[in-house]
């Protein structure tokens, strides 16, 4: 499958990893929009938040269970924002479900 994050998951494209296990991978965003900007992805391809189902939602729950560990490993100590873009109007650019973890500084109050 020609998917950038699948290629990062299988090692075809390198990434700066924060956390990895058999189900999920977290790595630094190549174009950070906050002092600390990490992306968390399921290893199994899910296109977007709009494609979460009864069958795959357990991995999404697992991602949220691991986010505190990932944020802490990335050096975030004072809170963070979790964002996921889904579909054209959100400007989702990589069609593999990912959660942006933004922190390391005081973020703007409003995201638009
Ligand atoms: P989105 O616009 O929500 O789909 O987010 C995609 C994110 O992936 C953007 O923040 C990009 O900076 C990031 N990104 C694109 N290519 C890479 C890469 N090779 N390594 C790490 N992050 C990337
Ligand atoms: Zn993928």
């Amino acid at each position: 499958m020609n998917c950038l994050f699948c290629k990062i998951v299988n090692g075809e494209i390198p990434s700066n990893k924060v956390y990895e296990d058999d189900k999920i991978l977290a790595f630094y965003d190549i174009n950070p929009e906050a002092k600390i900007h990490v992306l968390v992805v399921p290893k199994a391809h899910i296109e977007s938040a709009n494609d979460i189902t009864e069958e795959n939602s357990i991995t999404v729950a697992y991602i949220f269970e691991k986010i505190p560990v990932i944020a802490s490993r990335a050096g975030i100590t004072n809170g963070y924002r979790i964002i996921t873009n889904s579909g054209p109007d959100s400007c989702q650019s990589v069609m593999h479900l990912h959660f942006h973890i933004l922190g390391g500084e005081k973020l703007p109050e409003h995201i638009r």
Side-chain angles (χ1 to χ4, degrees):
M1 193 192 303
N2 194 23
C3 167
L4 178 65
F5 288 172
C6 281
K7 287 179 179 169
I8 286 180
V9 164
N10 71 28
E12 225 177 296
I13 292 174
S15 66
N16 193 357
K17 293 176 187 178
V18 176
Y19 176 89
E20 181 172 22
D21 63 27
D22 57 327
K23 293 187 266 300
I24 68 173
L25 174 67
F27 52 97
Y28 288 100
D29 195 292
I30 207 167
N31 184 23
E33 290 188 34
K35 281 223 173 89
I36 303 174
H37 185 172
V38 175
L39 300 174
V40 192
V41 305
K43 287 194 164 179
H45 184 89
I46 300 171
E47 200 153 294
S48 76
N50 203 44
D51 301 286
I52 295 169
T53 64
E54 217 175 308
E55 286 70 41
N56 63 28
S57 63
I58 189 149
T59 310
V60 179
Y62 183 75
I63 284 175
F64 277 79
E65 190 185 320
K66 289 297 173 193
I67 279 175
V69 175
I70 292 163
S72 166
R73 283 205 191 170
I76 295 175
T77 57
N78 202 36
Y80 48 85
R81 182 171 293 156
I82 303 169
I83 294 175
T84 188
N85 293 316
S86 179
D89 278 1
S90 75
C91 300
Q92 182 182 4
S93 64
V94 180
M95 300 308 286
H96 179 130
L97 177 65
H98 53 282
F99 296 92
H100 298 259
I101 312 297
L102 300 163
E105 63 180 317
K106 183 81 175 176
L107 300 169
E109 195 169 346
H110 301 291
I111 57 167
R112 63 155 293 167

